[in-house]
Short mmCIF file of all heavy atoms in Angstrom, two decimals:
data_model
loop_
_atom_site.label_atom_id
_atom_site.label_comp_id
_atom_site.label_asym_id
_atom_site.label_seq_id
_atom_site.Cartn_x
_atom_site.Cartn_y
_atom_site.Cartn_z
N MET A 9 -2.64 8.38 -5.10
CA MET A 9 -1.70 8.28 -3.99
C MET A 9 -1.44 6.83 -3.63
O MET A 9 -0.44 6.35 -3.23
CB MET A 9 -2.10 9.07 -2.78
CG MET A 9 -1.89 10.52 -2.84
SD MET A 9 -0.20 10.92 -2.82
CE MET A 9 -0.24 12.54 -3.42
N ALA A 10 -2.58 5.98 -3.70
CA ALA A 10 -2.33 4.57 -3.31
C ALA A 10 -1.41 3.92 -4.32
O ALA A 10 -0.57 3.13 -3.92
CB ALA A 10 -3.82 3.90 -3.30
N GLU A 11 -1.51 4.23 -5.54
CA GLU A 11 -0.61 3.82 -6.63
C GLU A 11 0.82 4.15 -6.28
O GLU A 11 1.73 3.41 -6.35
CB GLU A 11 -0.97 4.38 -8.02
CG GLU A 11 -0.23 3.90 -9.11
CD GLU A 11 -0.54 4.53 -10.42
OE1 GLU A 11 -1.83 4.64 -10.66
OE2 GLU A 11 0.20 4.94 -11.20
N MET A 12 1.04 5.39 -5.88
CA MET A 12 2.40 5.80 -5.50
C MET A 12 2.96 5.05 -4.29
O MET A 12 4.05 4.69 -4.21
CB MET A 12 2.42 7.33 -5.23
CG MET A 12 3.80 7.86 -5.09
SD MET A 12 4.11 9.62 -4.76
CE MET A 12 2.63 10.42 -5.16
N ALA A 13 2.00 4.82 -3.25
CA ALA A 13 2.44 4.02 -2.13
C ALA A 13 2.86 2.61 -2.58
O ALA A 13 3.91 2.13 -2.02
CB ALA A 13 1.30 3.97 -1.10
N ASP A 14 2.22 1.97 -3.47
CA ASP A 14 2.65 0.75 -3.99
C ASP A 14 3.90 0.82 -4.74
O ASP A 14 4.81 -0.15 -4.41
CB ASP A 14 1.56 0.19 -4.94
CG ASP A 14 0.25 -0.17 -4.32
OD1 ASP A 14 0.19 -0.37 -3.11
OD2 ASP A 14 -0.75 -0.28 -5.01
N GLN A 15 4.22 1.91 -5.44
CA GLN A 15 5.52 2.06 -6.02
C GLN A 15 6.58 2.31 -5.07
O GLN A 15 7.67 1.66 -5.13
CB GLN A 15 5.49 3.17 -7.09
CG GLN A 15 4.54 2.87 -8.23
CD GLN A 15 4.44 4.03 -9.20
OE1 GLN A 15 4.83 5.15 -8.87
NE2 GLN A 15 3.73 3.77 -10.31
N LEU A 16 6.33 3.13 -4.02
CA LEU A 16 7.24 3.34 -3.03
C LEU A 16 7.64 2.13 -2.23
O LEU A 16 8.75 2.00 -1.75
CB LEU A 16 6.81 4.44 -2.00
CG LEU A 16 6.75 5.84 -2.69
CD1 LEU A 16 5.98 6.87 -1.71
CD2 LEU A 16 8.10 6.41 -2.91
N ALA A 17 6.74 1.21 -2.06
CA ALA A 17 6.90 0.05 -1.29
C ALA A 17 8.00 -0.97 -1.79
O ALA A 17 8.48 -1.72 -1.04
CB ALA A 17 5.58 -0.76 -1.16
N VAL A 18 8.23 -0.81 -3.15
CA VAL A 18 9.18 -1.66 -3.80
C VAL A 18 10.54 -1.11 -4.18
O VAL A 18 11.31 -1.79 -4.79
CB VAL A 18 8.55 -2.43 -5.06
CG1 VAL A 18 7.33 -3.23 -4.54
CG2 VAL A 18 8.17 -1.43 -6.05
N ILE A 19 10.74 0.09 -3.78
CA ILE A 19 11.96 0.75 -4.23
C ILE A 19 13.06 0.64 -3.06
O ILE A 19 12.79 0.48 -1.95
CB ILE A 19 11.82 2.28 -4.57
CG1 ILE A 19 11.40 3.01 -3.33
CG2 ILE A 19 10.96 2.35 -5.82
CD1 ILE A 19 11.32 4.54 -3.58
N GLU A 20 14.36 0.84 -3.51
CA GLU A 20 15.38 1.11 -2.50
C GLU A 20 15.15 2.47 -1.93
O GLU A 20 14.86 3.40 -2.65
CB GLU A 20 16.75 0.98 -3.20
CG GLU A 20 17.86 1.30 -2.24
CD GLU A 20 19.21 1.37 -2.98
OE1 GLU A 20 19.28 0.97 -4.21
OE2 GLU A 20 20.15 1.71 -2.41
N TRP A 21 15.14 2.58 -0.59
CA TRP A 21 14.71 3.84 0.02
C TRP A 21 15.82 4.86 0.10
O TRP A 21 16.56 5.00 1.05
CB TRP A 21 14.18 3.49 1.43
CG TRP A 21 13.30 4.58 1.95
CD1 TRP A 21 13.52 5.50 2.93
CD2 TRP A 21 11.95 4.80 1.53
NE1 TRP A 21 12.50 6.36 3.16
CE2 TRP A 21 11.41 5.83 2.25
CE3 TRP A 21 11.12 4.23 0.63
CZ2 TRP A 21 10.21 6.39 2.11
CZ3 TRP A 21 9.87 4.76 0.42
CH2 TRP A 21 9.42 5.82 1.15
N THR A 22 15.84 5.61 -0.99
CA THR A 22 16.81 6.62 -1.09
C THR A 22 16.13 7.86 -1.56
O THR A 22 15.03 7.79 -2.22
CB THR A 22 17.95 6.37 -2.09
OG1 THR A 22 17.41 6.33 -3.43
CG2 THR A 22 18.81 5.24 -1.73
N ARG A 23 16.65 9.07 -1.22
CA ARG A 23 15.91 10.34 -1.71
C ARG A 23 15.76 10.36 -3.20
O ARG A 23 14.74 10.77 -3.73
CB ARG A 23 16.79 11.53 -1.19
CG ARG A 23 16.14 12.81 -1.50
CD ARG A 23 16.98 13.93 -1.00
NE ARG A 23 16.24 15.26 -1.28
CZ ARG A 23 16.73 16.34 -1.04
NH1 ARG A 23 17.85 16.52 -0.22
NH2 ARG A 23 16.11 17.49 -1.33
N GLU A 24 16.81 9.92 -3.92
CA GLU A 24 16.74 9.84 -5.39
C GLU A 24 15.68 8.94 -5.91
O GLU A 24 14.94 9.21 -6.84
CB GLU A 24 18.02 9.48 -5.99
CG GLU A 24 19.25 10.50 -5.73
CD GLU A 24 19.79 10.38 -4.31
OE1 GLU A 24 19.57 9.25 -3.56
OE2 GLU A 24 20.41 11.31 -3.83
N ALA A 25 15.52 7.76 -5.39
CA ALA A 25 14.43 6.77 -5.68
C ALA A 25 13.19 7.34 -5.44
O ALA A 25 12.19 7.17 -6.26
CB ALA A 25 14.74 5.46 -5.08
N ILE A 26 12.93 7.93 -4.30
CA ILE A 26 11.66 8.55 -3.98
C ILE A 26 11.32 9.58 -4.90
O ILE A 26 10.12 9.61 -5.40
CB ILE A 26 11.69 9.08 -2.49
CG1 ILE A 26 11.86 7.92 -1.47
CG2 ILE A 26 10.44 9.92 -2.18
CD1 ILE A 26 12.34 8.45 -0.10
N HIS A 27 12.26 10.49 -5.26
CA HIS A 27 12.01 11.49 -6.14
C HIS A 27 11.65 10.99 -7.55
O HIS A 27 10.79 11.40 -8.22
CB HIS A 27 13.26 12.43 -6.29
CG HIS A 27 13.08 13.61 -7.14
ND1 HIS A 27 12.51 14.83 -6.58
CD2 HIS A 27 13.37 13.88 -8.40
CE1 HIS A 27 12.41 15.67 -7.60
NE2 HIS A 27 12.93 15.18 -8.70
N ASP A 28 12.30 9.79 -7.97
CA ASP A 28 11.98 9.29 -9.27
C ASP A 28 10.50 8.71 -9.29
O ASP A 28 9.90 8.87 -10.32
CB ASP A 28 12.94 8.13 -9.60
CG ASP A 28 14.32 8.62 -9.99
OD1 ASP A 28 14.50 9.83 -10.21
OD2 ASP A 28 15.31 7.82 -9.95
N VAL A 29 10.04 8.14 -8.19
CA VAL A 29 8.67 7.70 -8.18
C VAL A 29 7.77 8.94 -8.28
O VAL A 29 6.72 8.85 -8.95
CB VAL A 29 8.43 6.92 -6.87
CG1 VAL A 29 6.94 6.62 -6.67
CG2 VAL A 29 9.10 5.64 -6.89
N MET A 30 8.07 9.88 -7.60
CA MET A 30 7.23 11.17 -7.64
C MET A 30 7.22 11.72 -9.07
O MET A 30 6.16 12.02 -9.66
CB MET A 30 7.77 12.23 -6.71
CG MET A 30 7.55 11.79 -5.21
SD MET A 30 8.21 12.96 -4.07
CE MET A 30 7.25 14.38 -4.37
N LYS A 31 8.34 11.78 -9.73
CA LYS A 31 8.45 12.19 -11.12
C LYS A 31 7.58 11.34 -11.98
O LYS A 31 6.91 11.85 -12.96
CB LYS A 31 9.94 12.30 -11.60
CG LYS A 31 10.61 13.54 -11.27
CD LYS A 31 11.96 13.71 -11.82
CE LYS A 31 12.55 12.71 -12.71
NZ LYS A 31 13.92 12.96 -13.13
N SER A 32 7.73 10.03 -11.86
CA SER A 32 6.92 9.14 -12.75
C SER A 32 5.44 9.30 -12.53
O SER A 32 4.65 9.21 -13.44
CB SER A 32 7.39 7.76 -12.57
OG SER A 32 6.90 7.15 -11.31
N THR A 33 5.05 9.56 -11.28
CA THR A 33 3.62 9.80 -10.99
C THR A 33 3.15 11.09 -11.68
O THR A 33 2.10 11.20 -12.36
CB THR A 33 3.37 9.85 -9.46
OG1 THR A 33 3.75 8.68 -8.89
CG2 THR A 33 1.92 10.22 -9.15
N VAL A 34 3.98 12.16 -11.56
CA VAL A 34 3.68 13.40 -12.28
C VAL A 34 3.43 13.14 -13.72
O VAL A 34 2.56 13.63 -14.35
CB VAL A 34 4.78 14.37 -12.02
CG1 VAL A 34 4.71 15.65 -12.88
CG2 VAL A 34 4.78 14.87 -10.48
N ALA A 35 4.47 12.52 -14.41
CA ALA A 35 4.36 12.29 -15.80
C ALA A 35 3.23 11.35 -16.23
O ALA A 35 2.51 11.69 -17.20
CB ALA A 35 5.69 11.64 -16.25
N ALA A 36 2.89 10.33 -15.45
CA ALA A 36 1.83 9.45 -15.84
C ALA A 36 0.48 10.01 -15.77
O ALA A 36 -0.41 9.72 -16.49
CB ALA A 36 1.91 8.22 -14.79
N HIS A 37 0.29 11.11 -14.95
CA HIS A 37 -0.92 11.82 -14.77
C HIS A 37 -1.03 13.19 -15.35
O HIS A 37 -1.97 13.85 -15.21
CB HIS A 37 -1.33 11.80 -13.35
CG HIS A 37 -1.47 10.40 -12.69
ND1 HIS A 37 -2.67 9.64 -12.99
CD2 HIS A 37 -0.67 9.67 -11.89
CE1 HIS A 37 -2.53 8.47 -12.28
NE2 HIS A 37 -1.33 8.39 -11.70
N GLY A 38 0.09 13.60 -16.02
CA GLY A 38 0.11 14.90 -16.71
C GLY A 38 0.01 16.01 -15.67
O GLY A 38 -0.66 17.08 -15.97
N LEU A 39 0.57 15.93 -14.58
CA LEU A 39 0.55 16.89 -13.53
C LEU A 39 1.75 17.68 -13.44
O LEU A 39 2.79 17.28 -14.02
CB LEU A 39 0.21 16.26 -12.15
CG LEU A 39 -1.11 15.49 -12.15
CD1 LEU A 39 -1.14 14.72 -10.77
CD2 LEU A 39 -2.19 16.39 -12.15
N LYS A 40 1.73 18.80 -12.71
CA LYS A 40 2.95 19.47 -12.30
C LYS A 40 3.44 19.03 -10.99
O LYS A 40 2.59 18.51 -10.19
CB LYS A 40 2.74 20.92 -12.25
CG LYS A 40 2.38 21.55 -13.66
CD LYS A 40 2.65 23.03 -13.72
CE LYS A 40 2.26 23.54 -15.09
NZ LYS A 40 3.27 23.68 -16.00
N PHE A 41 4.60 19.05 -10.65
CA PHE A 41 5.28 18.45 -9.45
C PHE A 41 4.65 18.88 -8.23
O PHE A 41 4.30 18.08 -7.28
CB PHE A 41 6.78 18.73 -9.43
CG PHE A 41 7.54 17.78 -8.61
CD1 PHE A 41 7.89 16.51 -9.02
CD2 PHE A 41 7.79 18.12 -7.23
CE1 PHE A 41 8.56 15.60 -8.26
CE2 PHE A 41 8.49 17.20 -6.44
CZ PHE A 41 8.97 15.96 -6.95
N PRO A 42 4.26 20.13 -8.00
CA PRO A 42 3.59 20.54 -6.77
C PRO A 42 2.19 19.91 -6.50
O PRO A 42 1.81 19.75 -5.33
CB PRO A 42 3.47 22.10 -6.90
CG PRO A 42 4.52 22.47 -7.77
CD PRO A 42 4.62 21.26 -8.74
N LYS A 43 1.57 19.52 -7.57
CA LYS A 43 0.29 18.88 -7.52
C LYS A 43 0.40 17.41 -6.87
O LYS A 43 -0.63 16.85 -6.37
CB LYS A 43 -0.45 18.75 -8.81
CG LYS A 43 -0.83 20.07 -9.39
CD LYS A 43 -2.01 20.67 -8.58
CE LYS A 43 -2.39 21.99 -9.24
NZ LYS A 43 -3.55 22.68 -8.51
N VAL A 44 1.62 16.92 -6.84
CA VAL A 44 1.83 15.55 -6.24
C VAL A 44 2.54 15.78 -4.88
O VAL A 44 2.21 15.15 -3.92
CB VAL A 44 2.67 14.71 -7.15
CG1 VAL A 44 3.17 13.43 -6.38
CG2 VAL A 44 1.92 14.32 -8.51
N ALA A 45 3.44 16.73 -4.91
CA ALA A 45 4.28 16.88 -3.61
C ALA A 45 3.42 17.47 -2.53
O ALA A 45 3.64 17.09 -1.37
CB ALA A 45 5.55 17.80 -3.98
N MET A 46 2.60 18.39 -2.69
CA MET A 46 1.82 19.07 -1.64
C MET A 46 0.90 18.05 -1.00
O MET A 46 0.94 17.91 0.23
CB MET A 46 1.05 20.28 -2.08
CG MET A 46 0.29 20.88 -1.03
SD MET A 46 1.24 21.67 0.29
CE MET A 46 1.98 23.08 -0.54
N PRO A 47 -0.01 17.33 -1.75
CA PRO A 47 -0.81 16.33 -1.08
C PRO A 47 0.01 15.27 -0.47
O PRO A 47 -0.34 14.86 0.70
CB PRO A 47 -1.55 15.78 -2.26
CG PRO A 47 -1.55 16.76 -3.29
CD PRO A 47 -0.26 17.51 -3.24
N LEU A 48 1.03 14.91 -0.94
CA LEU A 48 1.88 13.86 -0.27
C LEU A 48 2.41 14.30 1.01
O LEU A 48 2.46 13.67 2.06
CB LEU A 48 2.99 13.37 -1.22
CG LEU A 48 4.06 12.39 -0.71
CD1 LEU A 48 3.26 11.08 -0.34
CD2 LEU A 48 5.04 12.05 -1.77
N ARG A 49 2.98 15.55 0.98
CA ARG A 49 3.45 16.12 2.15
C ARG A 49 2.44 16.29 3.26
O ARG A 49 2.68 15.94 4.47
CB ARG A 49 3.99 17.54 1.80
CG ARG A 49 4.52 18.45 2.93
CD ARG A 49 5.01 19.78 2.48
NE ARG A 49 6.30 19.58 1.73
CZ ARG A 49 6.46 19.96 0.51
NH1 ARG A 49 5.38 20.48 -0.24
NH2 ARG A 49 7.54 19.84 -0.18
N ILE A 50 1.23 16.67 2.92
CA ILE A 50 0.15 16.85 3.86
C ILE A 50 -0.25 15.45 4.38
O ILE A 50 -0.45 15.17 5.67
CB ILE A 50 -1.00 17.60 3.30
CG1 ILE A 50 -0.63 19.09 3.17
CG2 ILE A 50 -2.20 17.49 4.27
CD1 ILE A 50 -1.60 19.92 2.35
N LEU A 51 -0.33 14.44 3.46
CA LEU A 51 -0.74 13.14 3.84
C LEU A 51 0.27 12.50 4.89
O LEU A 51 -0.22 11.91 5.80
CB LEU A 51 -0.74 12.20 2.58
CG LEU A 51 -1.34 10.92 2.59
CD1 LEU A 51 -2.93 11.14 2.74
CD2 LEU A 51 -1.16 10.17 1.34
N VAL A 52 1.54 12.79 4.67
CA VAL A 52 2.51 12.06 5.51
C VAL A 52 2.88 12.89 6.83
O VAL A 52 3.12 12.34 7.89
CB VAL A 52 3.86 11.76 4.73
CG1 VAL A 52 4.90 11.24 5.65
CG2 VAL A 52 3.49 10.82 3.60
N THR A 53 2.90 14.25 6.63
CA THR A 53 3.29 15.04 7.86
C THR A 53 2.14 15.81 8.45
O THR A 53 2.35 16.31 9.57
CB THR A 53 4.43 16.11 7.42
OG1 THR A 53 3.88 17.04 6.59
CG2 THR A 53 5.60 15.38 6.76
N GLY A 54 1.07 15.98 7.72
CA GLY A 54 0.03 16.91 8.24
C GLY A 54 0.23 18.39 8.05
O GLY A 54 -0.50 19.19 8.50
N GLU A 55 1.47 18.68 7.51
CA GLU A 55 1.78 20.16 7.30
C GLU A 55 1.88 20.48 5.84
O GLU A 55 2.35 19.72 5.01
CB GLU A 55 3.17 20.32 8.00
CG GLU A 55 3.16 20.08 9.50
CD GLU A 55 2.35 21.09 10.22
OE1 GLU A 55 2.24 22.29 9.82
OE2 GLU A 55 1.78 20.75 11.29
N PRO A 56 1.49 21.66 5.47
CA PRO A 56 1.58 22.10 4.16
C PRO A 56 2.94 22.55 3.66
O PRO A 56 3.21 22.57 2.47
CB PRO A 56 0.57 23.24 3.96
CG PRO A 56 0.56 23.76 5.39
CD PRO A 56 0.80 22.65 6.34
N GLN A 57 3.85 22.84 4.66
CA GLN A 57 5.17 23.22 4.27
C GLN A 57 6.11 22.44 5.13
O GLN A 57 6.02 22.42 6.34
CB GLN A 57 5.34 24.73 4.51
CG GLN A 57 4.56 25.63 3.58
CD GLN A 57 4.85 27.03 3.80
OE1 GLN A 57 5.28 27.43 4.86
NE2 GLN A 57 4.47 27.82 2.75
N THR A 58 7.16 21.87 4.46
CA THR A 58 8.24 21.11 5.06
C THR A 58 9.49 21.33 4.13
O THR A 58 9.31 21.83 3.10
CB THR A 58 7.93 19.60 5.11
OG1 THR A 58 7.93 19.08 3.76
CG2 THR A 58 6.71 19.26 5.86
N PRO A 59 10.56 20.82 4.59
CA PRO A 59 11.69 20.77 3.62
C PRO A 59 11.28 19.89 2.46
O PRO A 59 10.23 19.38 2.49
CB PRO A 59 12.87 20.14 4.52
CG PRO A 59 12.47 20.45 5.88
CD PRO A 59 10.92 20.47 5.84
N SER A 60 12.15 19.73 1.55
CA SER A 60 11.89 18.96 0.36
C SER A 60 11.18 17.65 0.71
O SER A 60 11.76 16.90 1.64
CB SER A 60 13.12 18.74 -0.40
OG SER A 60 12.93 17.83 -1.52
N VAL A 61 10.03 17.38 0.17
CA VAL A 61 9.27 16.17 0.51
C VAL A 61 10.02 14.88 0.36
O VAL A 61 9.88 13.93 1.25
CB VAL A 61 7.86 16.17 -0.19
CG1 VAL A 61 7.95 15.82 -1.64
CG2 VAL A 61 6.93 15.17 0.51
N ASP A 62 10.83 14.79 -0.63
CA ASP A 62 11.63 13.48 -0.79
C ASP A 62 12.58 13.29 0.31
O ASP A 62 12.85 12.24 0.85
CB ASP A 62 12.25 13.33 -2.15
CG ASP A 62 13.08 14.60 -2.65
OD1 ASP A 62 13.20 15.58 -1.87
OD2 ASP A 62 13.67 14.57 -3.70
N ALA A 63 13.15 14.42 0.76
CA ALA A 63 14.06 14.33 1.91
C ALA A 63 13.34 14.08 3.19
O ALA A 63 13.84 13.22 4.02
CB ALA A 63 14.83 15.80 2.11
N VAL A 64 12.15 14.58 3.43
CA VAL A 64 11.38 14.24 4.57
C VAL A 64 11.09 12.78 4.66
O VAL A 64 11.17 12.12 5.61
CB VAL A 64 10.14 15.15 4.72
CG1 VAL A 64 9.21 14.68 5.81
CG2 VAL A 64 10.51 16.52 4.84
N LEU A 65 10.52 12.26 3.49
CA LEU A 65 10.24 10.80 3.39
C LEU A 65 11.48 9.95 3.68
O LEU A 65 11.34 8.97 4.28
CB LEU A 65 9.65 10.44 2.04
CG LEU A 65 8.35 11.19 1.66
CD1 LEU A 65 7.76 10.69 0.31
CD2 LEU A 65 7.27 11.14 2.69
N ALA A 66 12.53 10.27 3.09
CA ALA A 66 13.90 9.59 3.25
C ALA A 66 14.16 9.55 4.75
O ALA A 66 14.58 8.42 5.27
CB ALA A 66 15.00 10.17 2.46
N LEU A 67 14.05 10.59 5.49
CA LEU A 67 14.29 10.69 6.87
C LEU A 67 13.30 9.91 7.75
O LEU A 67 13.70 9.23 8.71
CB LEU A 67 14.44 12.07 7.35
CG LEU A 67 15.68 12.85 6.82
CD1 LEU A 67 15.42 14.32 7.26
CD2 LEU A 67 16.78 12.33 7.52
N LEU A 68 11.99 9.96 7.41
CA LEU A 68 11.06 9.19 8.05
C LEU A 68 11.20 7.66 8.01
O LEU A 68 10.94 6.99 8.90
CB LEU A 68 9.62 9.52 7.59
CG LEU A 68 9.01 10.75 8.07
CD1 LEU A 68 7.65 10.92 7.31
CD2 LEU A 68 8.67 10.60 9.58
N GLY A 69 11.68 7.25 6.90
CA GLY A 69 11.93 5.82 6.67
C GLY A 69 10.76 5.26 5.90
O GLY A 69 9.62 5.75 5.89
N LYS A 70 11.00 4.13 5.27
CA LYS A 70 10.07 3.41 4.37
C LYS A 70 8.82 3.02 5.12
O LYS A 70 7.73 3.27 4.71
CB LYS A 70 10.77 2.33 3.65
CG LYS A 70 9.98 1.58 2.66
CD LYS A 70 10.78 0.47 1.96
CE LYS A 70 10.37 0.20 0.55
NZ LYS A 70 11.23 -0.77 -0.11
N GLU A 71 9.06 2.23 6.25
CA GLU A 71 7.86 1.72 6.96
C GLU A 71 6.91 2.75 7.50
O GLU A 71 5.78 2.77 7.41
CB GLU A 71 8.34 0.77 8.11
CG GLU A 71 8.71 -0.69 7.55
CD GLU A 71 9.92 -0.76 6.80
OE1 GLU A 71 10.86 0.06 7.26
OE2 GLU A 71 10.15 -1.58 5.91
N GLU A 72 7.68 3.84 8.10
CA GLU A 72 6.83 4.87 8.74
C GLU A 72 6.11 5.70 7.59
O GLU A 72 4.93 6.03 7.81
CB GLU A 72 7.68 5.79 9.62
CG GLU A 72 6.92 6.96 10.25
CD GLU A 72 5.83 6.41 11.19
OE1 GLU A 72 5.90 5.24 11.67
OE2 GLU A 72 5.02 7.22 11.56
N THR A 73 6.77 5.93 6.54
CA THR A 73 6.11 6.71 5.45
C THR A 73 4.95 5.96 4.92
O THR A 73 3.83 6.43 4.75
CB THR A 73 7.08 7.00 4.38
OG1 THR A 73 8.09 7.81 4.82
CG2 THR A 73 6.39 7.67 3.14
N LEU A 74 5.12 4.70 4.65
CA LEU A 74 4.05 3.88 4.04
C LEU A 74 2.95 3.73 5.12
O LEU A 74 1.70 3.69 4.66
CB LEU A 74 4.60 2.62 3.57
CG LEU A 74 5.54 2.60 2.34
CD1 LEU A 74 6.14 1.28 2.05
CD2 LEU A 74 4.73 3.21 1.23
N ARG A 75 3.25 3.55 6.35
CA ARG A 75 2.20 3.39 7.34
C ARG A 75 1.33 4.69 7.44
O ARG A 75 0.17 4.56 7.44
CB ARG A 75 2.82 3.17 8.68
CG ARG A 75 1.90 2.91 9.82
CD ARG A 75 2.50 2.96 11.18
NE ARG A 75 2.91 4.29 11.57
CZ ARG A 75 2.04 5.26 12.00
NH1 ARG A 75 0.78 5.03 12.02
NH2 ARG A 75 2.52 6.50 12.34
N ARG A 76 1.98 5.79 7.36
CA ARG A 76 1.21 7.04 7.46
C ARG A 76 0.38 7.20 6.13
O ARG A 76 -0.77 7.67 6.20
CB ARG A 76 2.14 8.27 7.56
CG ARG A 76 2.89 8.34 8.90
CD ARG A 76 3.70 9.54 9.06
NE ARG A 76 4.42 9.60 10.23
CZ ARG A 76 5.18 10.64 10.75
NH1 ARG A 76 5.05 11.74 10.06
NH2 ARG A 76 5.69 10.56 11.92
N MET A 77 0.94 6.97 5.05
CA MET A 77 0.22 7.11 3.70
C MET A 77 -1.01 6.23 3.76
O MET A 77 -2.12 6.70 3.48
CB MET A 77 1.11 6.73 2.54
CG MET A 77 2.14 7.79 2.19
SD MET A 77 3.18 7.30 0.79
CE MET A 77 1.92 7.65 -0.50
N ARG A 78 -0.75 5.02 4.11
CA ARG A 78 -1.94 3.98 4.03
C ARG A 78 -3.04 4.34 5.04
O ARG A 78 -4.22 4.19 4.84
CB ARG A 78 -1.39 2.59 4.15
CG ARG A 78 -0.59 2.11 2.91
CD ARG A 78 -0.08 0.81 2.89
NE ARG A 78 0.46 0.49 1.62
CZ ARG A 78 1.57 -0.08 1.36
NH1 ARG A 78 2.29 -0.52 2.41
NH2 ARG A 78 2.04 -0.34 0.15
N HIS A 79 -2.51 4.78 6.27
CA HIS A 79 -3.50 5.14 7.37
C HIS A 79 -4.41 6.27 6.78
O HIS A 79 -5.61 6.23 6.98
CB HIS A 79 -2.72 5.48 8.61
CG HIS A 79 -3.62 6.05 9.64
ND1 HIS A 79 -4.41 5.17 10.46
CD2 HIS A 79 -3.80 7.26 10.12
CE1 HIS A 79 -5.07 5.91 11.25
NE2 HIS A 79 -4.69 7.18 11.12
N GLN A 80 -3.81 7.26 6.33
CA GLN A 80 -4.54 8.47 5.81
C GLN A 80 -5.33 8.14 4.65
O GLN A 80 -6.53 8.69 4.60
CB GLN A 80 -3.57 9.67 5.63
CG GLN A 80 -2.91 10.28 6.80
CD GLN A 80 -3.92 10.67 7.86
OE1 GLN A 80 -4.99 11.06 7.63
NE2 GLN A 80 -3.43 10.60 9.17
N LEU A 81 -4.92 7.39 3.69
CA LEU A 81 -5.70 6.99 2.58
C LEU A 81 -6.91 6.19 2.98
O LEU A 81 -8.00 6.38 2.51
CB LEU A 81 -4.88 6.25 1.59
CG LEU A 81 -3.79 7.11 0.87
CD1 LEU A 81 -2.87 6.19 0.14
CD2 LEU A 81 -4.41 8.09 -0.06
N ALA A 82 -6.79 5.30 4.07
CA ALA A 82 -7.92 4.64 4.47
C ALA A 82 -8.92 5.49 5.21
O ALA A 82 -10.13 5.30 4.95
CB ALA A 82 -7.44 3.53 5.42
N ARG A 83 -8.45 6.46 5.88
CA ARG A 83 -9.39 7.48 6.48
C ARG A 83 -10.16 8.31 5.46
O ARG A 83 -11.34 8.62 5.61
CB ARG A 83 -8.63 8.48 7.41
CG ARG A 83 -7.99 7.81 8.64
CD ARG A 83 -7.42 8.65 9.59
NE ARG A 83 -8.51 9.72 10.01
CZ ARG A 83 -8.13 10.84 10.39
NH1 ARG A 83 -7.02 11.30 10.63
NH2 ARG A 83 -9.14 11.70 10.79
N ILE A 84 -9.44 8.64 4.36
CA ILE A 84 -10.03 9.44 3.26
C ILE A 84 -11.09 8.48 2.62
O ILE A 84 -12.25 8.99 2.26
CB ILE A 84 -9.03 9.91 2.24
CG1 ILE A 84 -8.11 10.99 2.92
CG2 ILE A 84 -9.72 10.39 1.07
CD1 ILE A 84 -6.99 11.32 2.15
N ALA A 85 -10.86 7.32 2.40
CA ALA A 85 -11.70 6.30 1.64
C ALA A 85 -12.99 6.01 2.53
O ALA A 85 -14.04 5.63 1.97
CB ALA A 85 -11.04 5.10 1.28
N ALA A 86 -12.86 6.15 3.84
CA ALA A 86 -13.98 5.70 4.81
C ALA A 86 -15.13 6.67 4.70
O ALA A 86 -15.26 7.74 4.31
CB ALA A 86 -13.52 5.57 6.10
#
């Protein structure tokens, strides 16, 4: 997830670009999409079910999404 946060930090903040980062993460790690989307959704919203996660991230905005991701990742690492 930290790697994905780094990738998200440098993209143009659109739903399509967010989705592309998620797809590249899925491909790079040989995962299925839900194995990336569900943890990301929980990490950012605290909820297991939301509308499409790329849409939620797009609405939250880049700074807020990255802030939440990095905050939760730091808590997990501690």
